[in-house]
């Protein structure tokens, strides 16, 4: 995430594996150009690419603005792209939705790893302790919603083999969706609202994604 494309290039330089960084001695900023000349981009249909209400309570005016910007003839674009969300929500693995299998497992693992790095900085050190903290301070931490997602992750018992199969299946369907959109539309990049499933699609496919302001 950055304020400009140059910010994103510099940040990516920092995040790159040293072996990959060595291939770009002058940094990724060398590849930046002034303007969109020669770059073919596609804008998704912002009226369709929106997060479900249970994940985000979005402002109606914001939605209208995004739909207007992404459909406006004043926005410079080479073509339009409307790839499927590709979040794997309908993909089944052993009669179970594949995406939640990976999410439940990875959430607990990554959160516990994060807490391990915060020794002495946090009053909780694991997902289990976080759930207890929320319960003990329910009026403050759980005023409008429960913690079913946290409980589901903590109680997850899926074997790692099943998690890996689910991750591979979700990744493949996301990759196929993005590749198809790029190929069919003849574009090099897809632009979508931040508050949309695009981040899930890109991360599942293993493709890079960046966030910058869209304006004049």
């Amino acid at each position: 995430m950055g304020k400009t494309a140059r910010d994103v290039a510099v940040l990516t330089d920092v995040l790159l594996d040293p072996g990959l960084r060595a291939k770009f001695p002058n940094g990724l900023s060398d590849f930046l150009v002034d303007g969109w000349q020669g770059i073919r981009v596609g804008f998704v249909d912002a009226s369709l690419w929106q997060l479900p209400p249970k994940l985000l309570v979005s402002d109606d005016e914001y939605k209208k603005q995004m739909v207007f910007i992404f459909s406006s003839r004043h926005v410079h674009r080479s073509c339009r792209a409307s790839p499927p969300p590709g979040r794997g929500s309908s993909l089944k693995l052993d009669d179970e939705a594949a995406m939640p299998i990976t999410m439940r497992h990875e959430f607990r693992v990554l959160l516990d790893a994060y807490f391990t790095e915060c020794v002495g900085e946090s009053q909780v050190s694991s997902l289990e302790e976080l759930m207890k903290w929320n319960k003990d301070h329910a009026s403050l931490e759980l005023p409008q919603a429960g913690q079913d997602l946290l409980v589901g992750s903590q109680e997850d018992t899926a074997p790692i083999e099943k998690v890996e199969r689910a991750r591979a299946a979700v990744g493949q369907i996301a990759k196929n969706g993005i590749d198809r959109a790029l190929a069919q539309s003849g574009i090099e990049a897809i632009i979508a609202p931040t508050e949309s499933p695009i981040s899930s699609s890109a991360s599942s496919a293993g493709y890079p994604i960046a966030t910058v302001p869209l304006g004049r």
Side-chain angles (χ1 to χ4, degrees):
M1 179 179 291
K3 292 183 178 180
T4 66
R6 187 170 298 278
D7 288 346
V8 173
V10 173
L11 177 60
T12 304
D13 284 336
V14 175
L15 297 176
L16 277 179
D17 176 90
L20 290 175
R21 193 184 306 133
K23 297 181 179 180
F24 310 103
N26 297 321
L28 296 178
S29 296
D30 264 10
F31 296 92
L32 296 178
V33 295
D34 293 327
W36 292 95
Q37 292 78 8
I39 302 176
R40 296 182 60 82
V41 299
F43 287 74
V44 304
D45 186 339
S47 65
L48 299 177
W49 279 68
Q50 297 182 6
L51 294 173
K54 67 178 181 180
L55 293 182
L56 174 70
V57 179
S58 185
D59 181 78
D60 288 340
E61 287 302 316
Y62 168 82
K63 286 184 178 181
K64 291 179 181 178
Q65 181 184 19
M66 285 298 100
V67 172
F68 172 77
I69 290 176
F70 276 71
S71 61
S72 173
R73 61 186 176 85
H74 299 293
V75 174
H76 177 85
R77 63 181 182 275
S78 299
C79 52
R80 298 290 301 279
S82 297
R87 291 179 293 161
S89 56
S90 60
L91 180 64
K92 299 289 185 178
L93 185 70
D94 300 335
D95 295 325
E96 184 180 358
M99 178 64 87
I101 295 175
T102 64
M103 291 179 64
R104 286 193 298 266
H105 173 80
E106 293 180 353
F107 180 79
R108 183 183 70 249
V109 172
L110 294 175
L111 188 64
D112 285 349
Y114 169 76
F115 281 134
T116 299
E117 298 175 356
C118 298
V119 176
E121 300 179 12
S122 173
Q123 297 185 47
V124 297
S125 58
S126 67
L127 174 57
E128 183 176 9
E129 291 184 8
L130 174 62
M131 291 165 52
K132 184 178 184 305
W133 170 271
N134 290 341
K135 185 176 181 180
D136 293 343
H137 303 81
S139 61
L140 177 65
E141 300 294 340
L142 307 171
Q144 298 180 345
Q147 49 183 353
D148 292 347
L149 294 178
L150 301 185
V151 173
S153 181
Q154 177 63 26
E155 297 180 349
D156 177 57
T157 58
I160 189 63
E161 179 272 336
K162 184 175 182 179
V163 173
E164 291 176 347
R165 284 196 295 128
R167 183 187 297 118
V170 171
Q172 191 60 54
I173 195 173
K175 185 177 185 300
N176 289 345
I178 293 175
D179 288 350
R180 182 168 58 251
L182 295 175
Q184 291 180 349
S185 300
I187 56 179
E188 300 165 324
I190 297 173
I191 298 180
T194 300
E195 296 180 351
S196 75
I198 190 67
S199 57
S200 295
S201 298
S203 59
S204 295
Y207 285 160
I209 184 170
T211 302
V212 293
L214 177 64
R216 296 179 179 177

